[in-house]
Amino acid sequence: MKYAIVTDSSCDLKSLPSSHNNTIYLQAPLSLRIGNREFIDDENLDIENFMNEMQESTEATGSAAPSPQSWIDAFEQADIIFAITISSKLSGSWQSLISAKDMYLEDHPDKKIFAIDSKMAGSGLAILALKLAEYIDENLSYEEICTRITEYHKHIGLLFVLESIENLVKNGRVNKIIGNIIGKLGIKLLAGASKEGTIDIVHKCRGRNNIYDRLIKSMLNDGYNGGKVVISHCFNNESADYVAEQLRQQFPTVNIKIIPTGGLCSYYAEKHGILVSYEK
């Protein structure tokens, strides 16, 4: 049996660690737009160049969900598939996945596909994908993996710090009035993924490190106690390292993975944004 973990490209994890060599890892790419130009969010996207072009452009920008065919192309490569999307409240990726799953299983009823609406983005999908790879390595049955990842999902939190929310406001993900106030005052925003998969504002702050200290405090208040952490960042190694070091001071054996944001999360988090997913 061949196993595959398939995410859309909102997942900032671009490959599994080499220790998980029994599992194929694939992504269904979203697309990004600057004016009339379309950029496919895959391994060929030059994210730094894309971000620079976006900042310099006065044209409208946007993003679009993967096509059903891109999911189907991934399904073809394995017998048992676990597929994860960005929150269905933020994108049409979930509906694209479900359409693809229904169409594919009609012609391939022997295949098994378990679909997960992450209700998150970025490192939130990454931490789920990493746990799925662990379960597959344990040679658990398909049914057992489905049960375990469903329960595990209930105990994952996601917080993120943004210096700009211009693109979130433009695309209707954050209230326009709140966004304008934050932009004018130069405030850093601490936000999180709600249980429903929407974006909740947790705290607003002007201090350079104060917002990251507040992030850690919010993690602790949410039940974090030294579990796995995945931090993704948009050209902000310094702040990612700061959060990691503060966590290690409290939990010396904590397992922390730091990765750069992919195209979609770079687009929405914008430069210097970071996303922190954690087991609670």
Side-chain angles (χ1 to χ4, degrees):
M1 286 288 185
K2 285 187 177 181
Y3 288 84
I5 297 170
V6 187
T7 71
D8 60 34
S9 60
S10 75
C11 180
D12 292 326
L13 185 73
K14 299 309 175 187
S15 63
L16 291 176
S18 57
S19 56
H20 302 297
N21 55 13
N22 295 324
T23 307
I24 302 169
Y25 179 73
L26 304 165
Q27 289 199 329
L30 288 98
S31 59
L32 307 169
R33 177 178 47 81
I34 302 175
N36 294 323
R37 288 175 296 161
E38 184 179 67
F39 300 79
I40 303 303
D41 186 15
D42 60 14
E43 67 277 4
N44 297 314
L45 178 65
D46 184 330
I47 295 174
E48 185 170 16
N49 180 64
F50 169 78
M51 296 292 289
N52 290 336
E53 286 195 40
M54 183 179 68
Q55 288 183 328
E56 293 170 2
S57 176
T58 58
E59 298 179 287
T61 64
S63 62
S67 67
Q69 187 60 50
S70 64
W71 291 105
I72 290 172
D73 290 343
F75 298 161
E76 292 281 3
Q77 300 189 47
D79 304 300
I80 297 176
I81 300 105
F82 299 94
I84 317 173
T85 71
I86 187 173
S87 172
S88 59
K89 301 292 186 181
L90 302 178
S91 169
S93 187
W94 171 254
Q95 288 303 321
S96 177
L97 168 60
I98 295 304
S99 295
K101 176 185 173 182
D102 291 344
M103 287 189 292
Y104 190 72
L105 289 179
E106 281 186 14
D107 296 327
H108 303 83
D110 55 319
K111 295 288 186 85
K112 294 181 179 179
I113 303 172
F114 187 67
I116 302 169
D117 175 359
S118 74
K119 302 187 185 299
M120 298 181 284
S123 61
L125 280 76
I127 203 168
L128 292 173
L130 290 168
K131 180 55 70 172
L132 279 167
E134 291 179 16
Y135 290 152
I136 293 169
D137 285 350
E138 292 175 20
N139 293 316
L140 300 175
S141 68
Y142 169 76
E143 292 75 16
E144 182 66 16
I145 294 174
C146 294
T147 298
R148 289 200 187 190
I149 199 64
T150 299
E151 183 62 27
Y152 180 78
H153 191 186
K154 297 175 184 176
H155 303 281
I156 297 300
L158 175 70
L159 292 168
F160 41 98
V161 174
L162 307 177
E163 292 191 6
S164 169
I165 58 172
E166 182 178 350
N167 285 333
L168 285 170
V169 172
K170 282 182 179 178
N171 289 276
R173 272 65 176 183
V174 170
N175 181 278
K176 187 174 182 179
I177 296 174
I178 294 174
N180 288 337
I181 293 172
I182 289 170
K184 289 178 181 178
L185 296 180
I187 292 172
K188 290 187 178 181
L189 177 73
L190 174 63
S194 71
K195 290 181 179 180
E196 295 75 28
T198 57
I199 296 173
D200 282 350
I201 295 174
V202 178
H203 189 70
K204 299 179 286 291
C205 182
R206 287 185 177 180
R208 185 168 185 269
N209 284 334
N210 289 346
I211 195 71
Y212 300 108
D213 294 334
R214 183 75 187 202
L215 182 152
I216 294 167
K217 183 178 180 181
S218 296
M219 288 173 62
L220 297 172
N221 290 341
D222 193 35
Y224 179 73
N225 192 33
K228 183 186 297 179
V229 174
V230 179
I231 304 172
S232 55
H233 66 90
C234 185
F235 302 102
N236 195 359
N237 274 301
E238 181 181 358
S239 295
D241 289 342
Y242 176 83
V243 171
E245 180 56 33
Q246 297 305 305
L247 288 171
R248 289 189 181 106
Q249 288 183 16
Q250 297 189 55
F251 306 99
T253 61
V254 62
N255 179 351
I256 300 176
K257 187 175 185 63
I258 299 177
I259 52 179
T261 49
L264 186 87
C265 284
S266 295
Y267 171 73
Y268 281 113
E270 303 188 50
K271 282 193 174 179
H272 306 127
I274 73 167
L275 300 92
V276 182
S277 61
Y278 52 93
E279 298 173 343
K280 49 182 174 172

